[in-house]
Amino acid sequence: ANAAAASGGGGGSARSSAGNDGDLSIMSAVSTLDVLLDNLRRRNEVAEMTEEVLATEAAEVEQQLAAAANAAAAFALAAAAAGLAVGNTGFAAEFDAEVRGQTAGVMADMMESLRWWFAGEVREAVVKVQAHARGWKARRQIK
């Protein structure tokens, strides 16, 4: 009877301990999965915050570059308006002076040739205006 009780009791406790071991392993697996999911959520949040920070920094860098480009363009325009070479010394100044000298000569020649080119057209326009004025004056005298 003792042996039967021991085997029956042992069998029942073996089943309950096997069931408890299974429940413990399931709970351990669930706990491990919960920890992994929490870690993934945290990594995702950190990645999103990092992306936002990087996007903000990129926007700031773009604004700084645009401001620098605008400042450089404003300086170049001011220098050109003042007729100054951007590099006031050395080769840049010599180059700018030579370009200005040759450009001035070419522009003067071009203006002179255009003056004679358009002189014929201007003369024709003057003749037409004079003819119309004479015709108007003659018509007025007839009345």
Side-chain angles (χ1 to χ4, degrees):
N2 261 346
S7 70
S13 67
R15 278 189 206 135
S16 66
S17 74
N20 287 342
D21 288 342
D23 289 342
L24 287 176
S25 66
I26 290 173
M27 292 185 69
S28 173
V30 168
S31 173
T32 303
L33 288 175
D34 285 340
V35 169
L36 290 173
L37 286 173
D38 286 340
N39 287 340
L40 285 174
R41 284 187 197 108
R42 274 190 238 117
R43 286 176 64 189
N44 191 27
E45 290 171 359
V46 168
E48 287 175 357
M49 290 189 324
T50 303
E51 287 176 4
E52 290 175 5
V53 167
L54 290 175
T56 303
E57 288 175 355
E60 289 174 2
V61 168
E62 286 178 8
Q63 288 175 349
Q64 290 172 354
L65 288 174
N70 288 339
F75 174 74
L77 287 174
L84 300 174
V86 174
N88 288 330
T89 61
F91 179 74
E94 292 173 21
F95 178 78
D96 286 345
E98 185 66 28
V99 168
R100 261 192 236 105
Q102 289 183 7
T103 305
V106 170
M107 287 299 291
D109 293 343
M110 187 174 72
M111 293 303 289
E112 185 68 21
S113 67
L114 285 176
R115 183 172 69 116
W116 292 110
W117 176 272
F118 289 112
E121 291 181 15
V122 170
R123 187 177 55 76
E124 289 174 12
V126 168
V127 168
K128 284 182 186 178
V129 169
Q130 287 175 345
H132 287 291
R134 287 186 191 126
W136 174 77
K137 189 175 181 183
R139 282 190 297 277
R140 252 183 105 197
Q141 286 176 351
I142 293 174
K143 287 184 183 183

